[in-house]
């Protein structure tokens, strides 16, 4: 492809178009043709930037999820106060969900991808990193909460499931969700199970 045919905003249009389609219908249900038509570019232009549809998904995941993971890493840095850490974690998820609703919807879809497919291979390292950060938080909290020993995996899955459920309800039009009061309810509800 000749350089003069490449427009500086093509890459952005392709990413935005793919994200929109993937978040509405899932990765496997969207064709390259649909992406190129929505972005108003040719297939060779898409291939120039991303190589193929898989490369496009890899770029979407890394460019959107890596900054989120950096924020989550800071939030999960345990300082001896578990409720404070949980509050920071929920805040990171809520902010990300509000500021990146289309990508977060895609993330919810990808999290349940079949483990045998290419989609799972692309997203698994990012999802696993997310869970590892949460597990580390709960593992480090054992020093102050001995009854939590050996439960880091269960706690990380339960806490993230609760957060995802609230965000999903918000996306369904429940505007009262993702408020400071709901955040405190999540932490209180989750902490009750830990401390009991």
């Amino acid at each position: 492809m000749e350089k003069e045919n490449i427009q500086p905003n093509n890459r952005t249009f392709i990413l935005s178009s793919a994200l929109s389609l993937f978040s509405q219908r899932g990765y496997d249900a969207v064709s390259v043709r649909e992406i190129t038509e929505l972005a108003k570019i040719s297939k060779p232009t898409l291939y120039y930037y991303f190589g193929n549809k898989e490369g496009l998904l890899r770029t979407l995941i890394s460019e959107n999820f890596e900054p989120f993971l950096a924020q989550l890493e800071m939030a999960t840095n345990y300082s001896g106060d578990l409720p404070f850490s949980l509050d920071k974690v929920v805040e990171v998820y809520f902010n990300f969900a509000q500021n990146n609703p289309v990508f977060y919807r895609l993330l919810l879809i990808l999290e349940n991808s079949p483990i045998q497919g290419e989609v799972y291979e692309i997203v698994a390292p990012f999802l696993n990193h997310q869970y590892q950060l949460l597990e580390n938080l709960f593992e480090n909290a054992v020093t102050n909460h001995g009854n939590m020993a050996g439960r880091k995996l269960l706690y990380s899955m339960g806490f993230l499931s609760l957060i995802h459920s609230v965000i999903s309800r918000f996306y369904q039009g429940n505007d009262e969700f993702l408020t400071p009061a709901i955040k405190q309810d999540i932490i209180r509800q989750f902490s009750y199970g830990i401390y009991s």
Side-chain angles (χ1 to χ4, degrees):
M1 170 170 286
E2 296 179 12
K3 288 285 186 191
E4 58 265 25
N5 293 334
I6 301 299
Q7 301 296 317
N9 53 2
N10 280 348
R11 185 178 188 279
T12 302
F13 287 151
I14 296 167
L15 287 170
S16 176
S17 299
L19 179 57
S20 176
L21 292 169
F22 292 162
S23 70
Q24 291 171 20
R25 301 201 337 259
Y27 173 81
D28 290 327
V30 175
S31 69
V32 169
R33 181 188 52 77
E34 291 173 291
I35 297 167
T36 59
E37 286 177 2
L38 186 59
K40 296 181 176 28
I41 51 99
S42 65
K43 286 183 183 180
T45 301
L46 183 143
Y47 299 141
Y48 172 82
Y49 285 106
F50 305 104
N52 54 27
K53 184 177 155 188
E54 181 182 315
L56 178 54
L57 181 62
R58 284 184 192 282
T59 303
L60 276 171
I61 297 297
S62 66
E63 289 186 6
N64 287 278
F65 212 18
E66 284 177 3
F68 166 78
L69 289 173
Q71 292 176 359
L72 185 61
E73 187 165 358
M74 289 187 299
T76 55
N77 188 10
Y78 183 64
S79 62
D81 183 345
L82 186 57
F84 177 73
S85 294
L86 296 177
D87 182 82
K88 289 193 311 182
V89 168
V90 175
E91 189 70 24
V92 167
Y93 277 95
F94 278 16
N95 285 340
F96 189 69
Q98 287 176 310
N99 295 328
N100 305 281
V102 180
F103 180 76
Y104 203 97
R105 282 189 193 101
L106 175 61
L107 178 61
L108 292 173
I109 293 168
L110 295 176
E111 192 163 76
N112 296 300
S113 299
I115 61 172
Q116 298 293 324
E118 68 179 309
V119 173
Y120 185 79
E121 289 178 20
I122 294 168
V123 76
F126 296 95
L127 296 176
N128 291 339
H129 187 176
Q130 168 190 232
Y131 276 106
Q132 189 61 57
L133 291 171
L134 293 171
E135 288 176 32
N136 291 345
L137 169 63
F138 292 118
E139 181 70 21
N140 292 331
V142 168
T143 57
N144 298 103
H145 306 282
N147 63 324
M148 293 175 61
R151 299 179 183 173
K152 66 181 182 179
L153 179 60
L154 183 61
Y155 288 149
S156 63
M157 290 188 308
F159 192 51
L160 187 52
S161 294
L162 187 55
I163 294 169
H164 280 335
S165 295
V166 169
I167 291 170
S168 292
R169 295 283 294 166
F170 173 74
Y171 287 152
Q172 294 168 1
N174 294 298
D175 293 335
E176 70 274 8
F177 283 70
L178 304 196
T179 64
I182 291 290
K183 180 173 66 168
Q184 291 309 311
D185 286 345
I186 289 172
I187 295 163
R188 205 171 14 258
Q189 177 71 32
F190 185 75
S191 296
Y192 179 78
I194 291 175
Y195 301 137
S196 62

